[in-house]
Amino acid sequence: MRARIYRSAKREFDCKVESTGEIVQAKALGNLLKGKRSLVVGDYVEIIDENGELVITEMEDRTSEVFRILVREQKRKVISSNCDLMVILISVSRPTFKRGIIDRFLVRASQWGIRPVVVFNKMDEYDPEEFDICFEQDRLKALGVDCFECTALDKEYVPKYLEKGYGELVEALRDRTAIFLGQSGVGKSKTINALAGGEIKVELKTNIIGKSNKGSHTTTWAEMLDLDLFTLIDSPGVRSFSLQDIMSDNFIEYFPDLEEMSTHCKFNNCTHKEGVKGCAFYLIEDEYQAKLLFSRLQSYWRILEELEVTPDWQKK
Ligand SMILES: Nc1nc2c(ncn2[C@@H]2O[C@H](COP(=O)(O)OP(=O)(O)OP(=O)(O)O)[C@@H](O)[C@H]2O)c(=O)[nH]1
Ligand SMILES: [Mg+2]
Ligand SMILES: [Zn+2]
């Protein structure tokens, strides 16, 4: 029978059987865990009943993997799989809006092969004086990233004009496996709880690792939570903003808009710095388009600088 892994221990897995919706415990055949192979939360597997004991005999190919490169150990650690949406949650008030954080998470989405969307939360507190949300959304739409304007306030306090964004987000999430990312305090728990049906159904255990295993950031667990609308993958290990495990060589691939533009630069090794001859970025006629792209270039430079701190050979 077909099932999906919801939680994993060393060799024992909690799996949800597709046909019945039941959660069962199963052990994995040794060859599924040998060498670099592993079974992770999100995997679709085949289970058989062997004299009363449930055994995982096969794993289906993954459509996507959430993973980390453990730089020091030079290992690629898969945390979860088959996730089809990355929800990047941003607060428009407190904590203050930071464009760079979105660009960072977009790099991860691209690395993991997961479609990103951006949710601008706390729209009830949005102040146009602080930043121009239209510019930010144009910037993302140019990348094909859908944006939603939401507020995670209790239903009766949600202003009418904000119902639309929430409704659209609900549709985008329907029947998907999603991972929510965002800074502390942006409203992930609130939003997820609201999406889960109003009352608090899930209290995301963000601090479990911190309490039981002080200071250890490489330990990552992941679990899936079945919400009525969608399935949530939660793992503290993937939330960090650091991108230090990503190779700096060819990093521009993670910025497809910049990569495209740079094909028009006169020289292959163009640095796109001001005053460089034949750089396509300084030839863009539309002022607004130029402004959008330059804001991306700024992020690109800032992250690249950080990546170059760790040499690429350590990230293989
Ligand atoms: N005004 C307003 N406040 C919100 C909204 N969403 C969340 N908050 C408040 O923001 C604070 C943080 O919300 P959480 O949902 O705990 O944030 P989180 O992203 O889960 O934070 P961590 O668990 O630390 O990562 C709480 O006090 C919420 O009540 C919103 O849409 N509008
Ligand atoms: Mg939370
Ligand atoms: Zn250039």
Side-chain angles (χ1 to χ4, degrees):
M1 54 196 180
R2 189 176 192 244
R4 194 170 192 196
I5 297 181
Y6 268 58
R7 202 185 300 255
S8 73
K10 267 207 180 81
R11 298 201 56 172
E12 276 245 325
F13 300 87
D14 287 358
C15 308
K16 186 174 175 183
V17 178
E18 195 172 68
S19 54
T20 61
E22 195 188 355
I23 301 274
V24 299
Q25 271 92 40
K27 283 203 165 66
L29 277 186
N31 66 341
L32 289 174
L33 305 171
K34 253 192 207 132
K36 284 190 175 167
R37 305 188 66 181
S38 65
L39 289 173
V40 298
V41 166
D43 277 335
Y44 289 102
V45 294
E46 187 59 32
I47 295 181
I48 58 161
D49 188 330
E50 230 180 42
N51 310 322
E53 200 183 44
L54 297 176
V55 181
I56 300 173
T57 55
E58 260 175 77
M59 181 196 89
E60 292 176 22
D61 287 344
R62 294 168 179 160
T63 57
S64 70
E65 289 181 334
V66 168
F67 64 91
R68 267 296 152 88
I69 309 286
L70 303 178
V71 174
R72 225 175 279 162
E73 290 129 82
Q74 300 196 22
K75 259 209 243 146
R76 184 174 183 277
K77 183 180 168 61
V78 180
I79 297 156
S80 59
S81 71
N82 301 317
C83 194
D84 39 33
L85 200 69
M86 178 195 284
V87 179
I88 302 170
L89 212 81
I90 291 291
S91 146
V92 299
S93 56
R94 302 286 161 266
T96 46
F97 174 78
K98 284 199 200 85
R99 175 189 296 153
I101 288 181
I102 300 182
D103 286 334
R104 267 162 203 276
F105 284 135
L106 292 180
V107 169
R108 279 278 178 239
S110 159
Q111 183 195 31
W112 293 338
I114 299 174
R115 186 165 80 87
V117 299
V118 174
V119 174
F120 291 88
N121 190 39
K122 309 202 186 184
M123 282 304 290
D124 54 296
E125 295 181 344
Y126 172 60
D127 174 2
E129 305 269 292
E130 288 203 27
F131 74 102
D132 178 2
I133 197 167
C134 292
F135 178 80
E136 302 306 328
Q137 294 186 358
D138 285 343
R139 196 176 175 273
L140 293 164
K141 283 175 196 158
L143 299 168
V145 176
D146 289 333
C147 300
F148 303 89
E149 292 181 7
C150 291
T151 179
L153 292 181
D154 295 330
K155 258 217 164 85
E156 61 261 43
Y157 302 113
V158 177
K160 260 266 167 299
Y161 71 95
L162 285 174
E163 282 177 4
K164 182 165 162 276
Y166 185 78
E168 288 168 351
L169 178 60
V170 165
E171 283 319 305
L173 281 164
R174 195 174 293 284
D175 298 329
R176 301 208 171 256
T177 302
I179 183 164
F180 277 65
L181 297 178
Q183 260 176 301
S184 183
V186 295
K188 293 180 296 296
S189 301
K190 265 262 186 195
T191 303
I192 291 163
N193 285 328
L195 290 163
E199 324 109 60
I200 310 258
K201 283 194 185 164
V202 274
E203 197 38 70
L204 294 178
K205 304 159 203 153
T206 43
N207 285 321
I208 281 187
I209 280 191
K211 278 179 195 150
S212 60
N213 197 354
K214 270 181 212 153
S216 164
H217 293 293
T218 47
T219 320
T220 49
W221 52 257
E223 70 175 322
M224 295 220 304
L225 299 163
D226 240 334
L227 309 184
D228 291 339
L229 176 67
F230 66 105
T231 304
L232 174 72
I233 287 194
D234 190 38
S235 161
V238 303
R239 294 207 199 107
S240 132
F241 308 117
S242 163
L243 294 173
Q244 276 199 34
D245 56 304
I246 290 181
M247 306 269 258
S248 57
D249 188 37
N250 257 333
F251 179 58
I252 202 158
E253 281 174 12
Y254 291 104
F255 285 71
D257 48 337
L258 302 184
E259 192 181 25
E260 209 285 318
M261 183 52 69
S262 65
T263 63
H264 302 288
C265 295
K266 191 162 178 192
F267 300 105
N268 264 343
N269 58 353
C270 185
T271 58
H272 322 303
K273 301 272 174 173
E274 213 173 340
V276 171
K277 256 204 187 140
C279 178
F281 285 88
Y282 299 87
L283 301 171
I284 303 169
E285 279 178 15
D286 187 306
E287 219 173 286
Y288 192 65
Q289 288 304 325
K291 201 175 155 204
L292 291 174
L293 266 187
F294 272 101
S295 75
R296 289 274 293 163
L297 201 53
Q298 292 298 338
S299 283
Y300 167 74
W301 279 331
R302 194 161 307 154
I303 300 170
L304 185 61
E305 202 171 293
E306 182 184 309
L307 302 189
E308 284 170 345
V309 171
T310 313
D312 277 351
W313 62 266
Q314 286 185 7
K315 305 175 189 169
K316 291 238 168 83

